[in-house]
Amino acid sequence: RGVPRSLALDSELEGAASAPALPNAADVELLQNLLDFFYRFAEQNQADLDVETAEVFQRMGEIHRRLGQPDRAREAYRLALQVRTAVFDRSPGDPANALAYARLLNAMGLLEKETGELQGARSVHEAARGVLAGAAHSNPVVRLELARTLNLLGSTGLSGGNDSMMGVMRRRRRPAASGGGSPPGDALDSEAAAFEEARSILHDLMRQDPMNPEFQYELAQCGRSQALLALKEADTSEARRLLASALADLESLARDFPDVPLYQYELADTLCYQVPGRRGAAPVPEDYADRAVVIAGRLSARYPWMEGYEALLATALTRQASVREDTGRLEEAEAGYRD
């Protein structure tokens, strides 16, 4: 994870929430060495339309994406897509081929979203949905990817406009936007349908395997996206309910898997969320802010090379300071803002 959502969505960095973490100098050197290896492999095997070649091109695309090189990432993904398409066309009913093909398409969609090409992102996620729809059946791994695809598809439509989660959910003392930036009603209906289908799949998967953390994690992501959709429809009570449900899922994951940093990160990030009330954003509960600071501080101390954890800690400290400011503890608030 890179920039935490609760920080990215409080700035003009539209799309930063889903952007990959910016690599540090050591990461850059390692990634460049990997790229050099992959390019040599590709030159030797570019005529081979096999799965291994596709995986190499896809890895190259992911590395270029992490290095902030979207054009090169697109070219690598394009080469991977050529191979994946050929492999998929040979046996379209193979769940493994469908899964790999859809994952590549979803990676391409995320890149398009990060660069502001929302229509392109939506089209690619739709293509992934079509690939998986014919292969899902009872395969839980494929069905999970279908749910993830639906979440990505729905959230793509929630990325633009000043009343997005960036503008509504995270700004203190600012009333919720009304009109102007919201997508049209049919777009909201389409997003709602995608999220509901994803939620239905995930609930069914969890009935079959209630202890599966991947199912629970994706369900939490779905809930948070649905909360944004509720805010776009000015339904703050529903947004709060959905966020509470997502928070409960993340609490469970963080408790049951304490050594998985992703779950700790997402929990701390969600604890920082604000939902607007009648007079602007309601303050984050003080115990939420305090817990977010503790979790983020622990992650930052354990993984000091991860800039995303430092950013999360900064967000949590800002939320904690704002709570103290709201309750008249100005000196404590000032100290928190300085931290």
Side-chain angles (χ1 to χ4, degrees):
R1 292 282 305 225
V3 180
R5 297 185 185 191
S6 49
L7 178 65
L9 298 176
D10 212 339
S11 69
E12 276 63 48
L13 299 177
E14 185 68 55
S18 58
L22 294 175
N24 57 33
D27 289 335
V28 169
E29 182 179 1
L30 175 61
L31 292 173
Q32 193 58 58
N33 289 337
L34 284 171
L35 271 180
D36 292 341
F37 169 79
F38 287 141
Y39 272 114
R40 289 195 299 271
F41 179 92
E43 288 176 0
Q44 297 168 7
N45 298 273
Q46 58 185 342
D48 298 331
L49 297 181
D50 59 18
V51 172
E52 188 177 24
T53 305
E55 290 175 350
V56 166
F57 284 133
Q58 188 167 344
R59 288 290 303 277
M60 289 165 62
E62 291 165 359
I63 291 172
H64 280 304
R65 177 179 168 229
R66 284 202 63 193
L67 291 172
Q69 301 167 345
D71 291 338
R72 292 185 178 183
R74 284 191 184 91
E75 177 60 17
Y77 282 148
R78 184 187 66 79
L79 294 171
L81 185 63
Q82 288 180 348
V83 181
R84 287 288 185 205
T85 302
V87 172
F88 178 75
D89 287 346
R90 288 202 297 262
S91 53
D94 185 337
N97 285 341
L99 182 64
Y101 193 21
R103 284 176 172 169
L104 171 59
L105 290 169
N106 282 331
M108 295 172 69
L110 286 171
L111 176 64
E112 294 306 300
K113 181 179 178 181
E114 289 163 13
T115 55
E117 301 293 336
L118 299 183
Q119 186 56 50
R122 189 175 295 110
S123 297
V124 178
H125 291 315
E126 280 282 12
R129 178 186 190 178
V131 167
L132 293 167
H137 303 301
S138 60
N139 186 309
V141 179
V142 178
R143 295 188 71 207
L144 174 62
E145 187 64 22
L146 176 57
R148 176 174 175 266
T149 300
L150 290 162
N151 279 342
L152 290 171
L153 181 60
S155 63
T156 298
L158 302 178
S159 297
N162 291 329
D163 61 335
S164 67
M165 194 177 293
M166 175 187 301
V168 175
M169 215 166 181
R170 302 323 198 288
R171 287 180 181 163
R172 276 196 334 117
R173 301 194 185 94
R174 178 168 180 171
S178 58
S182 295
D186 56 348
L188 289 175
D189 290 342
S190 176
E191 291 154 6
F195 290 136
E196 283 302 322
E197 185 179 350
R199 182 171 286 274
S200 175
I201 292 170
L202 291 165
H203 277 307
D204 186 51
L205 288 171
M206 289 195 68
R207 279 193 292 271
Q208 299 173 36
D209 186 2
M211 302 305 293
N212 189 304
E214 292 184 84
F215 301 163
Q216 194 170 8
Y217 175 74
E218 198 61 43
L219 186 61
Q221 300 304 303
C222 182
R224 298 202 303 188
S225 294
Q226 286 184 301
L228 171 54
L229 184 62
L231 287 179
K232 281 185 173 288
E233 297 175 327
D235 190 346
T236 55
S237 62
E238 177 67 0
R240 290 191 186 93
R241 185 191 69 80
L242 289 163
L243 277 178
S245 177
L247 189 57
D249 285 329
L250 292 169
E251 292 267 18
S252 176
L253 287 169
R255 181 183 61 251
D256 294 342
F257 302 92
D259 295 327
V260 179
L262 175 63
Y263 300 152
Q264 304 292 326
Y265 181 104
E266 295 287 358
L267 173 58
D269 193 33
T270 306
L271 286 167
C272 292
Y273 275 25
Q274 293 173 302
V275 177
R278 293 181 179 178
R279 298 183 179 179
V284 172
E286 185 167 7
D287 61 324
Y288 280 22
D290 291 343
R291 289 185 60 211
V293 168
V294 170
I295 296 170
R298 190 163 53 226
L299 286 172
S300 181
R302 186 173 181 181
Y303 306 98
W305 60 89
M306 293 291 292
E307 295 179 2
Y309 296 154
E310 286 289 329
L312 175 64
L313 179 57
T315 298
L317 286 167
T318 299
R319 288 290 176 258
Q320 186 184 60
S322 71
V323 171
R324 291 171 176 174
E325 182 183 357
D326 287 336
T327 55
R329 291 175 286 168
L330 300 183
E331 290 185 2
E332 292 180 55
E334 184 178 355
Y337 286 131
R338 283 199 302 268
D339 290 341

